[in-house]
Amino acid sequence: MVNPLVSIIVPVYNVSIYLEKCIDSILNQIYQNIEVILVDDGSKDKSGLICDTYRERFKNVKVIHKVNAGLGMARNSGLEIATGEYVTFVDGDDFIAVDHISQLVNGILNKNADVCYCGYMKQIGESFKEQKNPLSGYTLNKNEIFNFFIPRMCGKLDYRKIDEVQMSVCMALYQRNIISKENISFHSERELISEDFIFNLDYLQFANTITMINSCTYYYRDNANSLTKVYIPNRLDKQIFFTKYVIDRIKKLGLYDECIQRIYSTFFQWVRNIVKREARFYKQIGFFNSLRNIKSVCHNEFVIKGLEIYDDSNLTKNAALLNMLIRKKKCFLIWIVSYIKDITKK
């Protein structure tokens, strides 16, 4: 098929100030054989009305209104009615360049691939900075997917260079028949906090060829209300649950030795972020509560055992310092270092 139909699924929740730009960027694609599925996930602002307006104006726009259940469940609702040969995702507060879909389609067709990954544009202040896929130009077979790509999905080994691949379904184009045939769906981010990682892990088990292209045509907004930006009291528990789940899945794939150091690298990157946030949000949660929470992190059994397994010799100096302080349970020093680092960033 020369111009296969591409389904573009857009989960929408309270993003009315961004939504029209998002939808317009999709409808203005050079590649026009698309269907747009807008999934209103119980929005309380005007997002749902905006979706309906576009459905009335454009024949290739479908709209689902549903009770709020989160990003992953919204994407699943879109997948249920998607009819395209290929499928991709755009978050309702982001937007895409006019050649985003054509670049992905060309990438997948040129290499006869089951999925094509690209880079993205990351918002920094009022501007956007190019973030190329570190493996752009690579096309990998099944053996390479398992032994080279999946380990790099799990995290980085050397913090002095880029040797990991960040996973987002928004920067990828997938064969929908694989998703349908293998019953692949999204977990709720309320259960597993990196639902994109798990979706890709599920999908890649059935992929024979994957390809990465050089383009950075997805514009990712820096949303202050995203899960990665706000204070979440039980973040460590969620991160431990997710990490245990990933370790179990990697064991079943027979990739434990190839992936375990990378998995712990990602885990302890989050642990460091968690203790830093305790200092950053101390006015919100109280100084002594933030100190108590850092102590709880340092004495957590999974953290302690993980530090025994994890080789952090390739960390940057600042990251290595925080790991050392966590190992030694120097809670007040962790708070001071985190606080100083946070205010100097500002």
Side-chain angles (χ1 to χ4, degrees):
M1 190 180 295
V2 178
N3 291 308
L5 179 65
V6 175
S7 299
I8 304 171
I9 297 172
V10 185
V12 174
Y13 181 69
N14 291 349
V15 287
S16 59
I17 61 174
Y18 303 117
L19 187 55
E20 289 183 359
K21 180 166 185 175
C22 173
I23 300 172
D24 287 342
S25 75
I26 296 170
L27 293 171
N28 291 331
Q29 288 296 293
I30 294 170
Y31 190 93
Q32 280 288 294
N33 194 18
I34 60 174
E35 66 171 6
V36 185
I37 303 172
L38 306 174
V39 185
D40 171 29
D41 190 31
S43 296
K44 297 176 182 178
D45 63 2
K46 295 180 180 179
S47 295
L49 293 174
I50 293 171
C51 292
D52 290 338
T53 300
Y54 277 91
R55 176 174 54 187
E56 292 169 6
R57 291 173 54 199
F58 298 93
K59 292 181 180 179
N60 62 338
V61 173
K62 302 176 181 178
V63 175
I64 299 171
H65 295 286
K66 62 186 293 297
V67 175
N68 178 261
L71 182 65
M73 298 303 99
R75 288 170 174 165
N76 287 340
S77 296
L79 284 172
E80 288 174 6
I81 67 167
T83 60
E85 185 174 346
Y86 298 98
V87 62
T88 189
F89 305 87
V90 177
D91 287 346
D93 53 352
D94 297 334
F95 61 97
I96 55 178
V98 293
D99 59 342
H100 179 65
I101 300 301
S102 63
Q103 292 274 10
L104 288 170
V105 170
N106 288 337
I108 214 166
L109 294 181
N110 289 342
K111 299 297 183 180
N112 193 26
D114 297 310
V115 58
C116 176
Y117 295 102
C118 68
Y120 65 102
M121 301 295 289
K122 179 181 180 180
Q123 185 176 11
I124 300 174
E126 297 300 316
S127 60
F128 287 86
K129 184 177 180 181
E130 194 173 69
Q131 307 286 315
K132 288 188 177 181
N133 188 307
L135 298 180
S136 61
Y138 281 68
T139 297
L140 307 178
N141 61 31
K142 197 168 193 68
N143 182 61
E144 292 166 331
I145 292 168
F146 272 73
N147 295 294
F148 180 78
F149 191 80
I150 289 178
R152 280 160 179 77
M153 279 173 50
C154 293
K156 63 179 76 173
L157 285 181
D158 191 340
Y159 274 66
R160 292 163 296 194
K161 63 181 181 180
I162 299 174
D163 73 336
E164 66 171 337
V165 182
Q166 293 185 356
M167 283 291 99
S168 170
V169 296
C170 294
M171 289 67 131
L173 185 68
Y174 302 90
Q175 294 256 19
R176 192 177 64 84
N177 68 328
I178 293 179
I179 295 172
S180 300
K181 181 183 175 182
E182 305 301 338
N183 294 314
I184 299 168
S185 61
F186 287 90
H187 290 262
S188 170
E189 71 279 7
R190 298 170 184 178
E191 174 194 0
L192 291 169
I193 53 177
S194 184
E195 76 284 357
D196 283 23
F197 177 93
I198 300 302
F199 183 89
N200 276 287
L201 191 61
D202 289 341
Y203 185 92
L204 289 170
Q205 293 178 66
F206 305 102
N208 292 311
T209 305
I210 69 173
T211 191
M212 281 67 68
I213 58 175
N214 197 41
S215 65
C216 298
T217 46
Y218 188 95
Y219 285 75
Y220 174 77
R221 288 189 190 273
D222 185 15
N223 189 337
N225 294 319
S226 71
L227 290 177
T228 57
K229 298 280 184 177
V230 298
Y231 179 79
I232 303 173
N234 62 340
R235 180 76 206 210
L236 180 64
D237 293 336
K238 287 179 174 290
Q239 202 65 47
I240 289 172
F241 182 83
F242 175 76
T243 303
K244 286 180 176 179
Y245 181 88
V246 171
I247 290 173
D248 184 59
R249 290 291 305 276
I250 291 299
K251 281 181 178 177
K252 289 176 181 176
L253 291 175
L255 296 173
Y256 179 85
D257 290 339
E258 292 86 346
C259 296
I260 190 60
Q261 287 297 322
R262 293 179 180 271
I263 292 171
Y264 275 117
S265 172
T266 298
F267 173 71
F268 283 108
Q269 186 176 12
W270 270 110
V271 169
R272 292 191 296 274
N273 283 332
I274 288 166
V275 297
K276 287 175 188 175
R277 289 179 200 195
E278 291 297 335
R280 181 182 306 163
F281 291 96
Y282 83 96
K283 290 181 181 178
Q284 174 184 326
I285 60 180
F287 170 73
F288 290 106
N289 284 334
S290 69
L291 204 57
R292 190 180 301 115
N293 292 339
I294 290 173
K295 183 178 179 180
S296 178
V297 171
C298 293
H299 285 81
N300 182 275
E301 184 179 351
F302 188 82
V303 172
I304 293 170
K305 288 185 177 179
L307 284 169
E308 293 173 359
I309 296 170
Y310 178 46
D311 176 9
D312 57 7
S313 58
N314 288 316
L315 287 178
T316 60
K317 288 182 180 179
N318 287 336
L321 172 63
L322 261 183
N323 270 27
M324 183 269 290
L325 293 175
I326 293 169
R327 271 194 180 93
K328 294 182 179 250
K329 302 178 178 57
K330 302 293 185 181
C331 304
F332 184 67
L333 274 177
I334 292 170
W335 194 97
I336 292 293
V337 169
S338 300
Y339 180 73
I340 291 172
K341 189 167 180 60
D342 188 53
I343 60 174
T344 52
K345 260 188 176 181
K346 295 176 183 177

